[in-house]
Amino acid sequence: MKRLRVILALGVLASLVPSQIASAGTSSNTQDSLFDLLVDLGSARSNNTELFGDSTGLAKTLDNCDRGAPQYTLFLPSRKLGRGPLFDVLVDNSGRSLGELLARPAIVTAFFNNHLVTGLITESMLLNPAVTTITMKSGETLNKTVETAPNGTTVVKVDGQTIIDGMKTNGQPNGFSACNGLVFITDGIFNPRDNGRLALLRSGPALYERIIESGSGTENTLQMLIDAAGLGDELLDCREEEPQVTLFLPGPQGVGVGVLAQVLTTLDESLGSLLAKPELVRELLQNHMVDGLIAPEALLNPENDSFMARSGLELLKDVGTGPDGSPVVYINDHEVVAGLAMSRFGETYETCSGALYFIDGFLSPERALAVLGFAWHDSARKWGDNRFRFGLCDEHLPWKPSCIDLP
């Protein structure tokens, strides 16, 4: 199997953008096939692409360099951003092992075909504002937009994901050309919808099941809190028509247990007495719930600087840089420690009922006390929010009032 040969600036082909390569006839410019490129770009794990290619028949379909063979355009997520290479995303988020997925090629094909176009989508087509949609091999129609960044560069987005390589005109010098098509690199996957989404997500766990998996030992404190609040059924429902949610929960495992102990001290409750107050537990958890799916790439996007929790609490997001140079996401100053491929625990948790992220703290427990202890809940929420936002709650500084004293 031939390996990836990136078109470098020193060669004659380097002066050609993908649209020029396509118009010149790709079969005469390179002997690499799309499958060759997929082997290098589709997975960071040894042999995964070859295994999926053989199980689904994609190896034969995308390895055909015969003159007159069908041409394709492939959109692949970057291994440096978002969720990582395409097949790794599938294995990590489907809830099935590699072997189980290889035994179910229809699931893999449905997911892959949402990133494949029959025919060539050239750079000039991507840059053309009049071209507003792209139809994938899966049958899904994805929206395309052309925007101008503050620095004057042109930004092309497909299904909300930015094309970050394969286009010379937006500052990326490398084009990826094959004998039978083109590859563009994006900053995230194209989320399957309709039949493709159902095939993928229904094969995996729900949010509730992910929370159960995260437990340490025989007791899963998060599961007990969710059950006490009566939220388990909602987080277990994978029906397509049900709204998805995004959870920012303390954890995983030992991280969450330590944080919970601090919260119990703040609330002057034991775990048992807290669980006996389902309304308080529900209010606590709704500070951590956002209606709708926040995908990892959306969480990493600095342009999205806040989300609204179900309780009405504003979740302020900040994207910083870790010691190794990788992005670090904070929600109300609490680090996202798991749920992003580059987070501390290096896993993603998108499920059929939503997305799960673990953070290193509870979000404003004093606010839940204010809401339940004050008859006018909306006013209490605003009071609790302002105390949080302006730093008026600090038990370590005796001259500042504590938020557990809120009315």
Side-chain angles (χ1 to χ4, degrees):
M1 187 71 67
K2 297 179 289 295
R3 306 303 289 169
L4 173 65
R5 294 196 293 271
V6 175
I7 301 172
L8 301 174
L10 296 178
V12 175
L13 293 178
S15 63
L16 301 177
V17 294
S19 59
Q20 293 169 317
I21 293 171
S23 63
T26 55
S27 61
S28 63
N29 285 326
T30 179
Q31 293 304 304
D32 285 329
S33 69
L34 275 180
F35 192 72
D36 293 330
L37 270 65
L38 184 61
V39 167
D40 285 277
L41 300 170
S43 174
R45 299 163 191 169
S46 177
N47 298 325
N48 272 14
T49 301
E50 288 94 336
L51 290 170
F52 281 124
D54 290 339
S55 71
T56 60
L58 287 170
K60 291 183 178 179
T61 300
L62 299 181
D63 205 29
N64 187 356
C65 284
D66 294 340
R67 185 170 295 278
Q71 301 283 300
Y72 298 97
T73 303
L74 184 56
F75 294 89
L76 293 176
S78 168
R79 65 181 60 201
K80 298 179 181 179
L81 300 171
R83 306 179 182 190
L86 190 65
F87 288 127
D88 299 346
V89 173
L90 179 63
V91 174
D92 292 342
N93 290 275
S94 67
R96 298 187 185 275
S97 68
L98 176 60
E100 290 173 321
L101 285 169
L102 290 170
R104 295 165 175 82
I107 292 176
V108 181
T109 301
F111 179 70
F112 184 83
N113 283 349
N114 212 51
H115 298 80
L116 185 69
V117 178
T118 301
L120 291 180
I121 304 295
T122 63
E123 180 175 7
S124 60
M125 293 171 65
L126 289 175
L127 290 169
N128 186 352
V131 179
T132 59
T133 59
I134 297 176
T135 301
M136 315 308 290
K137 196 172 187 295
S138 63
E140 290 196 32
T141 300
L142 305 184
N143 293 327
K144 180 186 74 71
T145 60
V146 181
E147 305 168 4
T148 301
N151 63 3
T153 60
T154 301
V155 177
V156 177
K157 293 184 179 182
V158 179
D159 200 37
Q161 310 308 320
T162 302
I163 307 295
I164 62 171
D165 207 349
M167 294 179 60
K168 186 175 181 180
T169 52
N170 72 347
Q172 299 294 336
N174 297 328
F176 299 103
S177 168
C179 67
N180 56 343
L182 301 169
V183 173
F184 295 99
I185 307 299
T186 67
D187 64 356
I189 70 166
F190 297 156
N191 253 326
R193 293 181 289 273
D194 302 326
N195 292 335
R197 179 179 179 278
L198 286 173
L200 173 63
L201 295 180
R202 280 186 175 171
S203 69
L207 276 173
Y208 187 77
E209 294 167 310
R210 281 292 198 194
I211 292 166
I212 292 175
E213 292 172 3
S214 73
S216 179
T218 56
E219 293 185 356
N220 187 326
T221 306
L222 286 176
Q223 181 185 356
M224 287 191 287
L225 290 171
I226 287 168
D227 288 346
L231 297 170
D233 288 343
E234 177 183 355
L235 302 181
L236 192 60
D237 201 328
C238 285
R239 290 179 299 167
E240 177 70 8
E241 63 270 19
E242 288 298 312
Q244 290 189 308
V245 298
T246 299
L247 299 180
F248 297 97
L249 294 179
Q253 301 177 1
V255 177
V257 173
V259 170
L260 178 62
Q262 298 172 22
V263 171
L264 292 175
T265 299
T266 299
L267 299 178
D268 194 23
E269 301 277 1
S270 68
L271 178 59
S273 66
L274 176 62
L275 293 171
K277 300 175 180 177
E279 191 176 358
L280 176 57
V281 177
R282 189 177 305 112
E283 195 66 38
L284 280 170
L285 292 179
Q286 286 183 342
N287 284 343
H288 299 253
M289 300 179 68
V290 177
D291 288 317
L293 175 67
I294 303 174
E297 54 267 25
L299 201 61
L300 285 164
N301 186 350
E303 295 179 5
N304 303 322
D305 58 4
S306 67
F307 307 102
M308 187 62 68
R310 180 175 290 184
S311 65
L313 174 67
E314 185 179 13
L315 305 184
L316 305 177
K317 191 202 75 174
D318 182 51
V319 180
T321 303
D324 61 352
S326 63
V328 179
V329 178
Y330 299 92
I331 301 295
N332 283 4
D333 295 326
H334 294 294
E335 180 187 349
V336 176
V337 297
L340 294 168
M342 66 283 296
S343 61
R344 199 186 303 170
F345 293 92
E347 294 182 272
T348 56
Y349 304 105
E350 187 186 346
T351 75
C352 62
S353 50
L356 170 63
Y357 301 97
F358 287 112
I359 58 177
D360 64 358
F362 260 89
L363 296 173
S364 198
E366 68 282 347
R367 186 178 189 279
L369 279 177
V371 170
L372 295 181
F374 199 26
W376 300 280
H377 284 192
D378 288 340
S379 299
R381 285 192 173 105
K382 184 178 293 186
W383 175 239
D385 288 348
N386 287 335
R387 297 289 284 274
F388 167 80
R389 184 172 293 126
F390 296 114
L392 298 176
C393 310
D394 195 327
E395 295 190 46
H396 303 291
L397 300 176
W399 59 86
K400 287 187 177 183
S402 169
C403 278
I404 63 172
D405 296 327
L406 289 171

